[in-house]
C-alpha cells in the first residue's frame, strides 16, 4: 500500500481530499492510470469497495472485492487475500448471500492454516459460528466458538480476542446459560480495559443488560443501557444502537412503561427498515411481538409473530446450515491439530536457531541493538533471545507485566514530553529496585514493562512487585506531574514446564487485566 500511495503522491494527486462518489472516480483513475502491478490494482479496488459500502452500494462493493481477489496470487499475497476474503464474507452476510459467505470463510480456514495466520483462522471460524447464530442454532454456534479455545492464547490482537469472547457470550445468553455468561462477561470487562473500543465496550453493557433482564433486575439493566457510548457512522454502531433500542423497549415493557417501549420500537423500526438487514428485522419482529403480547394487544402480536416466522423461514432456506454440520466441524478439528503442530514447529525452530547462534547472540546483547533508547532497559529484540535461552536451558522463571495507570491522560493533559519523563522515571526505579535481585527488566512497548525473575517462587515475585508498586506510589512526582500522582498495575505468573512463552505472557496479561479492572494501583497473580 505504501508503494501505491507514493505513486499517487508523485502523480500530484491527493487521496485524502476525496469522498463519496468522487472517491469512486478517483480510485478508478488510480487503478487504470497510476497502479502498475496486479497488487496495486487490487489495493485500488479494495479501497473503492469500502467507499461503495459507505454509499450502501453493497453488491457493487462485493463485485470489486471479487475482482481484487482475481488479481492476487497465493502464497505471496496470502495476507492481503485473507483480509479481502474476510471483508467480502462480511458484506455477503449483510446482503443475505449466506452460501457464498460460507464458501469464503471455509476457504479462509485453509489459506490461514497454510500460512500460519492464527488471527485470520479465528476470524473465519467466528464467521461460520455467526452464520449458525443467524440461523437460530446457537448451540451449534457455541461449538464453533469453542474451536478457538485451544488457540486463544495465540491470538495476537486483543480486540479480536474480545470479539471472540463476546460472540460466545451472546450465544450463551441465547441458550439461557446465564451462570456461564455471567462468568464470561467478567473476563470481557477486564479485557475491554486494555482494548479501549467503545463499540465492544457497548456490547458488553448490552449483554450485561440482557443478563440483568433475565434475572428480573430491570433497573440495573436500564442503567447499563444508559451507559453505552458508540461512534456515529460506524456500521457496528448502527447494529449496536438498534440493539440498544430493542433491549430498552423490552426493559420498559417489563416495568409497564408501554408508551416508552412503543416509542423505542417505532424508532428502531424506522432505522432497521432502511438498513434492510434480515437478521435485525427478525430481532425487531420478535421484540414487537413480545412487547405487544405483554401489553395484551394480541392482534398486533400475532401479526409480528407471522412476520417473524416469514423472515425466519427465509433465513432457514438461505443459510446453508447443512454445510455447517459435522463435516465442517471435523475439518476444523483437523486444522486444530495442524495449528498446534505449527505452533510447536515455530517454537522448535526458535530453539534450534538459538542453539546455532548462541555465541553470536550473547555477544550482541551488549550492543545498542538490544537496548531501548529512551529508558536504557532491554528491548523486545533482547527479550526474544532471552526467552529462547530460558526455554533452551529449562530455567524456571516468574513473569511480571507492569503497566502505568491512566498514562494516556498524562500525554493528553500534560504533553508527550512529560509522558516520556514519567516513563523514564518509572523505568529507572524499575532498574534500581531489581538490579541486585537476579531480574531482567524490559520495556515491552509504550508504558508497559516486563520483569523476568529467574528461579523465583510466585510468593517472592508478588513480594517484589508489591514493593516496587509502593515505591512508585511514594515517588516524588510533584516536580514532573504537578499535583497528580502516578501509579502502576502489575500482573504476575509463573512459567509452566513445557509451555511456550506466548502462553506464559498471555496468563500474566490476564492477571494485569484483573489488576486494572479491580481499580488499578495493585498487584494480581494469575
Amino acid at each position: 500500500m505504501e508503494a501505491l500511495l507514493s505513486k499517487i503522491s508523485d502523480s500530484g494527486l491527493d487521496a485524502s481530499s476525496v469522498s463519496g462518489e468522487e472517491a469512486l472516480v478517483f480510485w478508478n483513475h488510480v487503478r487504470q492510470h497510476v497502479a502498475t502491478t496486479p497488487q496495486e490494482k487490487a489495493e485500488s479496488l479494495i479501497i473503492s469497495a469500502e467507499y461503495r459500502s459507505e454509499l450502501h452500494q453493497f453488491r457493487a462493493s462485493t463485485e470489486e472485492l471479487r475482482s481484487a481477489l482475481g488479481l492476487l496470487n497465493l502464497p505471496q499475497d496470502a495476507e492481503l487475500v485473507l483480509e479481502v476474503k474476510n471483508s467480502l464474507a462480511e458484506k455477503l452476510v449483510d446482503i443475505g448471500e449466506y452460501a457464498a459467505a460460507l464458501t469464503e470463510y471455509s476457504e479462509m480456514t485453509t489459506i490461514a492454516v497454510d500460512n500460519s495466520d492464527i488471527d485470520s483462522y479465528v476470524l473465519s471460524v467466528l464467521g461460520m459460528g455467526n452464520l449458525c447464530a443467524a440461523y437460530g442454532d446457537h448451540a451449534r454456534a457455541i461449538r464453533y466458538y469453542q474451536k478457538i479455545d485451544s488457540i486463544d492464547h495465540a491470538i495476537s490482537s486483543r480486540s479480536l480476542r474480545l470479539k471472540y469472547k463476546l460472540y460466545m457470550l451472546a450465544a450463551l445468553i441465547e441458550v439461557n446459560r446465564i451462570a456461564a455468561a455471567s462468568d464470561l462477561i467478567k473476563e470481557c470487562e477486564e479485557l475491554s480495559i486494555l482494548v479501549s473500543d467503545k463499540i465492544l465496550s457497548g456490547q458488553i453493557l448490552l449483554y450485561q443488560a440482557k443478563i440483568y433482564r433475565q434475572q428480573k433486575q430491570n433497573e440495573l439493566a436500564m442503567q447499563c443501557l444508559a451507559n453505552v457510548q458508540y461512534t456515529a457512522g460506524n456500521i457496528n454502531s448502527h447494529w449496536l444502537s438498534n440493539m440498544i433500542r430493542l433491549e430498552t423497549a423490552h426493559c420498559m415493557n417489563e416495568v409497564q412503561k408501554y408508551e416508552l417501549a412503543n416509542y423505542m420500537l417505532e424508532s428502531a423500526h424506522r432505522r432497521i427498515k432502511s438498513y434492510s438487514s434480515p437478521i435485525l428485522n427478525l430481532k425487531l419482529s420478535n421484540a414487537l411481538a413480545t412487547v405487544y403480547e405483554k401489553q395484551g394487544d394480541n392482534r398486533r402480536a400475532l401479526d409480528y409473530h407471522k412476520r417473524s416466522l416469514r423472515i425466519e423461514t427465509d433465513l432457514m432456506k438461505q443459510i446453508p446450515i447443512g454445510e455447517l454440520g459435522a463435516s465442517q466441524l471435523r475439518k476444523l478439528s483437523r486444522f486444530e491439530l495442524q495449528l498446534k503442530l505449527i505452533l510447536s514447529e515455530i517454537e522448535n525452530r526458535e530453539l534450534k536457531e538459538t542453539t546455532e547462534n548462541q555465541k553470536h547472540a550473547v555477544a550482541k546483547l551488549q550492543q545498542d541493538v538490544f537496548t531501548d533508547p529512551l529508558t536504557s532497559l532491554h528491548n523486545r529484540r533482547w527479550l526474544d533471545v532471552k526467552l529462547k535461552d530460558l526455554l533452551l536451558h529449562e530455567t524456571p522463571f516468574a513473569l511480571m507485566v507492569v503497566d502505568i495507570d491512566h498514562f494516556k491522560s498524562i500525554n493528553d493533559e500534560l504533553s508527550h514530553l512529560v509522558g516520556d519523563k514519567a516513563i523514564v522515571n518509572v523505568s529507572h526505579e524499575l532498574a534500581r529496585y531489581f538490579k541486585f535481585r537476579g531480574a531482567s527488566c524490559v520495556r515491552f512497548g509504550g508504558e508497559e514493562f516486563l520483569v523476568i525473575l529467574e528461579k523465583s517462587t510466585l510468593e517472592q515475585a508478588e513480594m517484589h512487585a508489591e514493593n516496587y508498586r509502593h515505591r512508585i506510589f511514594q515517588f516524588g512526582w510533584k516536580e514532573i506531574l504537578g499535583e497528580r500522582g502516578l501509579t502502576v498495575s502489575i500482573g504476575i505468573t509463573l512459567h509452566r514446564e513445557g509451555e511456550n512463552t506466548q502462553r506464559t505472557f498471555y496468563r500474566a496479561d490476564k492477571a494485569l487485566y484483573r489488576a486494572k479492572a479491580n481499580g488499578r494501583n495493585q498487584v494480581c497473580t494469575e
Side-chain angles (χ1 to χ4, degrees), residues 42-282:
E43 289 168 345
S44 302
L45 285 165
I46 293 164
I47 296 171
S48 178
E50 290 306 311
Y51 279 109
R52 289 196 184 278
S53 286
E54 291 175 7
L55 295 168
H56 292 180
Q57 299 176 13
F58 299 118
R59 293 194 181 278
S61 176
T62 60
E63 289 308 312
E64 288 194 333
L65 290 175
R66 285 191 172 109
S67 297
L69 286 172
L71 293 167
L72 300 172
N73 294 294
L74 294 171
Q76 61 266 35
D77 299 322
E79 184 178 349
L80 191 54
V81 167
L82 287 166
E83 181 184 327
V84 175
K85 278 187 169 291
N86 184 62
S87 179
L88 175 57
E90 289 177 347
K91 288 175 173 58
L92 289 168
V93 170
D94 285 338
I95 63 177
E97 293 189 14
Y98 304 108
L102 176 57
T103 298
E104 298 300 332
Y105 284 132
S106 184
E107 290 177 0
M108 274 182 69
T109 58
T110 303
I111 298 170
V113 170
D114 287 345
N115 292 275
S116 304
D117 192 327
I118 301 294
D119 285 10
S120 292
Y121 178 81
V122 169
L123 283 168
S124 59
V125 175
L126 288 178
M128 288 187 275
N130 294 344
L131 286 175
C132 296
Y135 184 85
D137 192 342
H138 299 286
R140 191 179 305 192
I142 289 172
R143 291 181 66 188
Y144 274 91
Y145 302 147
Q146 286 172 335
K147 292 292 181 183
I148 301 170
D149 287 348
S150 61
I151 56 172
D152 180 16
H153 69 283
I155 300 174
S156 63
S157 165
R158 286 171 176 167
S159 177
L160 178 56
R161 187 180 299 137
L162 179 55
K163 287 179 183 178
Y164 139 66
K165 293 180 186 300
L166 286 171
Y167 286 133
M168 176 69 84
L169 176 60
L172 290 172
I173 293 172
E174 290 290 344
V175 297
N176 206 32
R177 290 172 57 181
I178 300 304
S182 297
D183 290 338
L184 183 55
I185 205 166
K186 293 175 184 175
E187 192 172 344
C188 291
E189 288 170 345
E190 293 170 358
L191 183 52
S192 70
I193 294 171
L194 296 179
V195 172
S196 299
D197 185 304
K198 288 184 179 180
I199 303 296
L200 298 179
S201 297
Q203 287 184 43
I204 294 172
L205 290 168
L206 170 66
Y207 295 140
Q208 181 65 78
K210 285 178 176 287
I211 291 172
Y212 280 141
R213 181 165 62 86
Q214 290 201 22
Q215 295 171 336
K216 306 299 182 185
Q217 300 183 63
N218 293 299
E219 292 297 328
L220 288 175
M222 285 190 282
Q223 286 177 24
C224 281
L225 297 171
N227 288 332
V228 176
Q229 299 177 359
Y230 51 86
T231 306
N234 185 297
I235 189 68
N236 291 317
S237 70
H238 173 90
W239 176 88
L240 178 62
S241 63
N242 283 303
M243 293 303 295
I244 293 297
R245 288 182 175 87
L246 296 184
E247 188 59 30
T248 303
H250 279 300
C251 292
M252 293 295 183
N253 210 52
E254 290 292 332
V255 296
Q256 299 182 356
K257 295 182 178 180
Y258 299 132
E259 289 185 5
L260 287 173
N262 292 345
Y263 171 77
M264 295 302 297
L265 288 174
E266 287 169 7
S267 173
H269 186 272
R270 289 193 299 272
R271 293 168 181 269
I272 292 174
K273 187 177 180 181
S274 65
Y275 186 63
S276 70
S277 163
I279 297 170
L280 270 177
N281 271 296
L282 177 60

Side-chain angles (χ1 to χ4, degrees), residues 448-515:
E448 197 169 41
F449 305 86
L450 297 184
V451 179
I452 299 171
L453 287 160
E454 297 179 34
K455 300 177 182 178
S456 170
T457 65
L458 192 62
E459 291 74 20
Q460 289 171 334
E462 189 173 8
M463 177 195 70
H464 289 312
E466 185 58 36
N467 288 343
Y468 173 71
R469 181 204 63 77
H470 185 71
R471 184 170 178 150
I472 292 298
F473 181 70
Q474 295 293 333
F475 187 81
W477 292 108
K478 188 169 184 179
E479 185 176 336
I480 301 169
L481 303 177
E483 293 303 317
R484 68 178 295 163
L486 184 145
T487 61
V488 294
S489 297
I490 304 176
I492 309 171
T493 193
L494 286 181
H495 172 69
R496 296 173 183 170
E497 185 176 350
E499 77 174 1
N500 60 37
T501 53
Q502 191 177 34
R503 186 180 288 274
T504 306
F505 178 79
Y506 169 70
R507 292 190 289 103
D509 214 23
K510 285 186 69 175
L512 175 63
Y513 303 168
R514 194 158 56 255

Side-chain angles (χ1 to χ4, degrees), residues 303-360:
D303 287 342
Y304 281 108
H305 272 304
K306 289 179 179 177
R307 183 184 175 195
S308 173
L309 181 61
R310 285 195 300 272
I311 298 172
E312 194 168 20
T313 302
D314 288 340
L315 282 172
M316 292 175 72
K317 288 178 181 176
Q318 294 168 14
I319 295 176
I321 196 67
E323 296 176 33
L324 287 160
S327 61
Q328 190 70 252
L329 288 165
R330 281 196 299 272
K331 176 185 175 183
L332 294 182
S333 294
R334 290 194 295 271
F335 281 151
E336 284 178 6
L337 294 174
Q338 280 184 257
L339 288 167
K340 289 177 182 178
L341 182 60
I342 288 167
L343 294 174
S344 176
E345 287 174 349
I346 291 171
E347 187 173 338
N348 289 337
R349 186 164 61 248
E350 289 174 348
L351 290 172
K352 185 178 179 180
E353 289 171 358
T354 302
T355 303
E356 293 173 350
N357 301 298
Q358 190 174 22
K359 289 183 180 180
H360 181 63

